[in-house]
């Protein structure tokens, strides 16, 4: 039987055996790492974008410095500074929290610019109209400006999230046992580099396909609820 | 005693002096039209009066209560704005809200009115401007004239003592200006106090009680509207009116 022959093929056997070994760290580490980091990144980004949008003195300048430094240095270097560098100052963190911190800070800077651009794309007349019906700055922000900005920011923020899923593979460099590290292990004892790394690529693609679908549903929802 | 009085407003944008000491007063129930060529400062004046621009100096008396325009507090601004309505040239309807929500927003959020009561008022106001059948539409689904009528309903909903109109028909196709002007005419007939920056000479002549003619950041002439059009006193006013008439 052709099917049985296929199953006896060594490459196919490796692929089947390694699939759970790669997928499980993906579910147990890559996804939580992405979700946690992105959630914190959004909080940082919203705050950093808002202090700029509201032109809060001092904080606004600090926001610019933060974005300048973070965007101007490699993510891998930031990971290494926190994980390998900070212990010399007595700050010792586990690998996973280190990764969450580094990814949050890094992605926060990029998302802050996305959110700032989205806020600035809302016409100033929307704010003025809110004032003229008696609303306060914060009321207009919450009810009118932020929802409109959310619609604009949604596709680029989805981009960032999808990008982050793949960037988490860098965490392997600081001993986080995520999907990429798991694959490296499989590859190093099977010597099946091409099929195994392709398998990893397909699993990342699966994750991102789900997120692409979620993005599409999200946009549909927003469009149906007046966020357009 | 006038409901609204402004005295000696100055406003510059950088080196450009836009308002050079403007006085204005509006009595309750009056419809005051502000006319003048483009760049004369009409819109800036209106925006300063509702604090959308911060005047460099000047005094404002609202309902007998005096304010220094350069130093008025946020709390006072909020308090005065609750007694006024503003209709923009570009409508500025909330783009993420339905027609009904556009009108209820100021009542529910700013005035903490229960939703049911706010919606009842909103429907009444939308009926007044002939838009009650579009309650669940979003602004982008409406024509310019329809959007502006909803904007008027939004301004009316908070029962303002005065409504400011900033060139309410200037962004509209000519065939749509009529529906907006009709609504404004009806409001005037009901005794609403209105301060209207406009290029609509017909509206100024037929509906307004007073006309203020501005040029180059100053008031050139203020007169009851019949007298203003029949018998302009100032040379510059006559020149403006003849330019309009010859168009």
């Amino acid at each position: 039987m052709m099917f049985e022959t296929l199953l006896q093929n060594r490459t196919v056997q490796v692929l089947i055996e390694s699939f759970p070994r790669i997928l499980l760290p993906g579910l147990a580490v890559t996804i939580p790492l992405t979700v946690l980091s992105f959630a914190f990144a959004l909080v940082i980004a919203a705050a950093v974008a808002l202090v700029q949008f509201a032109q809060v003195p001092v904080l606004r300048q600090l926001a610019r410095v933060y974005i300048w430094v973070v965007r101007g240095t490699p993510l891998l270097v930031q990971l290494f500074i926190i994980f390998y560098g900070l212990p010399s100052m007595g700050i010792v963190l586990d690998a996973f929290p280190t990764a969450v911190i580094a990814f949050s800070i890094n992605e926060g800077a990029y998302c802050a610019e996305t959110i700032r651009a989205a806020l600035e794309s809302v016409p100033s007349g929307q704010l003025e109209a809110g004032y003229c019906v008696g609303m306060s700055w914060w009321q207009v922000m919450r009810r009118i400006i932020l929802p409109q900005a959310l619609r604009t920011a949604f596709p680029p923020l989805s981009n960032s999230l999808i990008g982050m899923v793949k960037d988490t593979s860098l965490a392997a460099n600081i001993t986080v046992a995520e999907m990429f590290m798991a694959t490296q292990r499989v590859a190093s004892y099977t010597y099946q580099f091409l099929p195994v790394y392709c398998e990893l690529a397909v699993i990342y693609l699966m994750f991102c396909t789900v997120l692409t679908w979620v993005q599409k549903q999200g946009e549909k929802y927003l469009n149906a609820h007046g966020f357009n | 005693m006038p409901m609204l009085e402004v005295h000696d407003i100055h406003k510059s944008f950088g080196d450009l002096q836009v308002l050079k000491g403007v006085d204005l007063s509006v009595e309750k129930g009056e419809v005051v039209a502000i006319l003048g060529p483009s760049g004369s400062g009409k819109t800036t004046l209106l925006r300063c009066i509702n604090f959308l621009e911060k005047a460099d100096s000047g005094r404002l008396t609202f309902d007998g209560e005096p304010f220094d325009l350069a130093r008025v507090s946020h709390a006072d601004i909020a308090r005065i704005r609750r007694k006024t309505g503003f209709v923009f040239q570009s409508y500025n309807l909330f783009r993420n809200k339905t027609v009904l929500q556009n009108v209820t927003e100021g009542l529910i959020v700013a005035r903490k009115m229960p939703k049911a009561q706010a919606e009842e008022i909103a429907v009444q106001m939308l009926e007044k401007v002939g838009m009650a059948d579009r309650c669940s539409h979003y602004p982008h689904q409406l024509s310019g004239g329809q959007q502006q009528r909803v904007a008027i309903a939004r301004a009316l909903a908070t029962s303002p003592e005065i409504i400011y109109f900033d060139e309410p028909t200037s962004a509209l196709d000519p065939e749509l200006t009529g529906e907006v002007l009709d609504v404004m005419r009806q409001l005037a007939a009901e005794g609403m106090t209105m301060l209207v920056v406009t290029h609509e000479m017909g509206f100024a002549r037929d509906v307004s009680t007073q006309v203020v003619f501005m040029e180059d950041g100053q008031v050139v002439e203020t007169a009851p509207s019949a007298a203003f059009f029949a018998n302009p006193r100032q040379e510059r006013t006559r020149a403006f009116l003849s330019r309009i008439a010859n168009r």
Side-chain angles (χ1 to χ4, degrees):
Chain A
M1 286 277 296
M2 235 182 74
F3 188 60
E4 279 172 12
T5 329
L6 190 66
L7 281 181
Q8 277 157 13
N9 179 295
R10 161 130 169 85
T11 305
V12 175
Q13 279 178 344
V14 168
L15 284 177
I16 292 169
E17 276 168 24
S18 61
F19 185 75
R21 287 168 196 257
I22 300 175
L23 182 65
L24 287 180
L27 298 175
V29 182
T30 299
I31 289 179
L33 180 56
T34 307
V35 170
L36 277 177
S37 303
F38 199 72
F40 288 129
L42 282 183
V43 174
I44 295 172
V48 169
L50 273 176
V51 298
Q52 293 180 81
F53 186 70
Q55 311 210 332
V56 182
V58 185
L59 288 181
R60 169 182 163 213
Q61 281 84 355
L62 285 177
R64 289 320 302 171
V65 172
Y66 159 69
I67 289 166
W68 170 61
V69 171
V70 170
R71 287 200 306 185
T73 53
L75 175 54
L76 190 56
V77 174
Q78 293 162 7
L79 279 166
F80 274 48
I81 288 175
I82 300 176
F83 191 68
Y84 296 115
L86 289 188
S88 69
M89 291 172 66
I91 303 172
V92 184
L93 295 165
D94 285 344
F96 187 84
T98 300
V100 171
I101 291 169
F103 288 133
S104 308
I105 291 175
N106 185 273
E107 202 61 48
Y110 290 94
C111 292
E113 289 294 83
T114 301
I115 294 175
R116 182 173 67 89
L119 287 170
E120 285 172 2
S121 76
V122 178
S124 58
Q126 297 284 307
L127 184 62
E128 291 179 353
Y131 285 155
C132 287
V133 298
M135 291 157 82
S136 67
W137 181 84
W138 181 240
Q139 285 173 333
V140 190
M141 283 308 289
R142 197 165 47 84
R143 311 267 316 174
I144 310 297
I145 312 287
L146 285 172
Q148 291 183 29
L150 172 66
R151 179 63 192 89
T152 312
F154 193 74
L157 288 179
S158 304
N159 243 353
S160 297
L161 175 59
I162 288 171
M164 187 181 250
V165 172
K166 296 165 294 163
D167 284 348
T168 55
S169 58
L170 288 175
N173 292 289
I174 58 164
T175 77
V176 176
E178 46 66 71
M179 284 207 294
F180 183 66
M181 180 179 272
T183 311
Q184 280 180 311
R185 285 192 188 136
V186 173
S188 66
Y189 68 74
T190 60
Y191 296 102
Q192 296 277 337
F193 296 102
L194 180 63
V196 169
Y197 282 118
C198 284
E199 186 175 35
L200 172 66
V202 168
I203 293 175
Y204 274 117
L205 185 59
M206 278 165 34
F207 286 180
C208 293
T209 304
V210 171
L211 288 178
T212 307
W213 180 83
V214 169
Q215 174 185 353
K216 199 171 146 199
Q217 299 309 310
E219 286 182 27
K220 261 193 206 160
Y221 174 87
L222 290 174
N223 286 343
H225 289 77
F227 293 92
N228 55 356
Chain B
M1 184 184 67
M3 146 183 293
L4 170 78
E5 201 168 14
V6 292
H7 182 61
D8 204 23
I9 295 194
H10 285 81
K11 173 70 185 172
S12 299
F13 293 109
D15 292 337
L16 184 70
Q17 258 196 301
V18 182
L19 298 177
K20 304 170 182 171
V22 175
D23 295 347
L24 183 86
S25 83
V26 182
E27 302 280 340
K28 189 171 168 51
E30 259 192 338
V31 177
V32 176
I34 306 177
L35 304 181
S38 295
S40 55
K42 314 181 291 288
T43 290
T44 305
L45 173 64
L46 205 60
R47 289 173 61 83
C48 285
I49 292 175
N50 214 26
F51 312 99
L52 295 173
E53 303 286 349
K54 191 170 192 288
D56 299 330
S57 66
R59 286 201 309 280
L60 175 125
T61 309
F62 197 98
D63 273 348
E65 200 183 344
F67 301 93
D68 180 342
L69 281 172
R71 284 193 197 82
V72 58
S73 70
H74 282 292
D76 284 338
I77 289 176
R79 200 155 50 83
I80 299 169
R81 275 185 184 146
R82 287 213 182 111
K83 300 192 225 171
T84 67
F86 200 101
V87 175
F88 296 86
Q89 182 178 351
S90 49
Y91 338 126
N92 293 350
L93 290 182
F94 303 131
R95 298 186 305 178
N96 59 325
K97 301 280 173 193
T98 62
V99 164
L100 187 70
Q101 289 168 337
N102 260 279
V103 184
T104 57
E105 197 69 8
L107 299 172
I108 297 172
V109 179
R111 287 166 187 76
K112 311 291 175 218
M113 187 183 280
K115 190 169 171 222
Q117 192 189 347
E119 284 179 352
E120 198 179 312
I121 293 175
V123 170
Q124 278 172 22
M125 295 306 148
L126 287 167
E127 272 167 5
K128 203 189 252 288
V129 300
M131 288 298 296
D133 55 338
R134 295 282 196 283
C135 276
S136 55
H137 283 56
Y138 283 97
H140 70 95
Q141 297 170 310
L142 305 177
S143 73
Q146 291 174 326
Q147 290 191 52
Q148 195 61 299
R149 286 189 280 147
V150 173
I152 293 173
R154 176 173 71 177
L156 280 173
T158 57
S159 346
E161 293 174 27
I162 181 169
I163 302 185
Y164 306 120
F165 291 82
D166 180 16
E167 303 194 25
T169 58
S170 296
L172 296 174
D173 291 336
E175 72 265 32
L176 299 179
T177 57
E179 60 188 74
V180 172
L181 291 174
D182 285 346
V183 168
M184 292 170 64
R185 250 184 217 112
Q186 181 197 334
L187 293 184
E190 290 168 8
M192 174 60 75
T193 312
M194 293 153 71
L195 180 58
V196 187
V197 169
T198 186
H199 292 292
E200 293 287 337
M201 290 305 137
F203 178 84
R205 184 180 355 219
D206 303 339
V207 183
S208 71
T209 49
Q210 288 277 326
V211 173
V212 175
F213 176 65
M214 283 182 69
E215 195 174 71
D216 196 23
Q218 287 168 317
V219 173
V220 175
E221 181 164 349
T222 302
S225 51
F228 178 87
F229 285 100
N231 210 348
R233 292 188 308 263
Q234 300 292 329
E235 184 50 44
R236 284 193 283 174
T237 313
R238 284 196 286 271
F240 176 76
L241 288 176
S242 73
R243 274 206 306 280
I244 298 285
N246 291 338
R247 258 204 316 229

